[in-house]
Amino acid sequence: MTESATIYYADDTDRSAIENRTVAVIGFGSQGHAHAMNLDDNGIDVVVGLREDSSSRQAAEQAGLRVATPSAAAAQASVISMLVPDTVQPAVYEAIEPELEAGDTLQFAHGFNIHYGQIDPAEDVNVTMVAPKSPGHLVRRNFENDQGTPGLLAVYQDPTGKATDIGLAYADAIGCARAGVVETTFKEETETDLFGEQAVLCGGVTSLVKHSYETLVEAGYSREMAYFECMNELKLIVDLLYEGGLAEMWNSVSDTAEYGGLTRGDRIVDEDVRENMEATLEAVQNGEFAREWIVENQTGRPSYTQRREAELDHDIEDVGAELRELFAWSAETDEDDEKAKRNGVPADD
């Protein structure tokens, strides 16, 4: 049995660890805008690092934040938070590296580039991770509602002996310590995150949905019924799992659904699937997936583009779009999208 992780809360943090520091938030996308605005609301001196031609500059300036190029922002700061996408981080790091001084803190929200050696910071720089376990717009929304978003904390290098204190203070200032901050490592966060995305959250779920949809349609059932049973109702089950775990879900569905799930689930996700999961995890652990993804980006993303187009061309996308337009909750979704646009929430930059 592995030991339980340490969880920190607001009472375990000391905001003074960053209150007299300037924090450079590099990027103003999903996570970047939330971190920068939450830090600023808590009185932390923030400068946002963006390219001169960045489409996010206007949104950051309208939010009342100082904006500079990434290298200029890093030069002003002693805590530099790298919140641009993984694929561009190495190039951005190369630009800001000359501005890093001994004792500075280089921070990430995902461990990919450190764990797989795409970024190799100097030994005299703290290297930490503060990773909210939620999309940025929810990090911001929860903060504004005086609620918290659970987060992760990891320390990769600590030459100053203060890396944990700085990371916890940062996590507190963006709202994570209100909910709880789980201590982890760059290795553990990276490998579990990639595996979870591939095996369940993004890969496994979408494949299961498509295969079940195709099974019903090919058996002669209507596309609409197949969509509702295999795609639409998934949210209802996930919400129950999120709120109360497996027990809450089983207690909430009918006895028929529970019996069918308990007796048939392992026939679908069987030992062959478990073996495939183990192979997927091994490819994450040994760096095979990372090398593949790095080469994919270096060669213009040919496989990524082809697979993404095929996914968007699937029949379930067509029937889903048609059905969502017919129901009242589609208007609520459109309204939420418009609110996000008016609030200046951009994509990752």
Side-chain angles (χ1 to χ4, degrees), residues 19 32 73 95 107 115 121 195 206 213 219 227 233 246-247 255 301-302 312 344:
E19 281 180 335
Q107 187 168 274
H115 181 55
F195 174 77
T206 54
Y213 172 87
Y227 174 84
E233 292 196 23
L246 297 175
D255 291 349
R301 298 188 172 188
L312 297 178

Side-chain angles (χ1 to χ4, degrees), residues 196-218:
E197 290 167 350
Q198 294 168 24
V200 183
L201 306 176
C202 302
V205 165
T206 54
S207 288
L208 193 63
V209 166
K210 287 184 295 182
H211 283 305
S212 59
Y213 172 87
E214 291 163 0
T215 299
L216 286 178
V217 172
E218 290 171 8

Side-chain angles (χ1 to χ4, degrees), residues 163-185:
T164 297
D165 292 340
I166 293 170
L168 283 174
Y170 183 103
D172 182 42
I174 64 171
C176 289
R178 296 174 182 173
V181 180
V182 180
E183 188 174 51
T184 185
T185 65

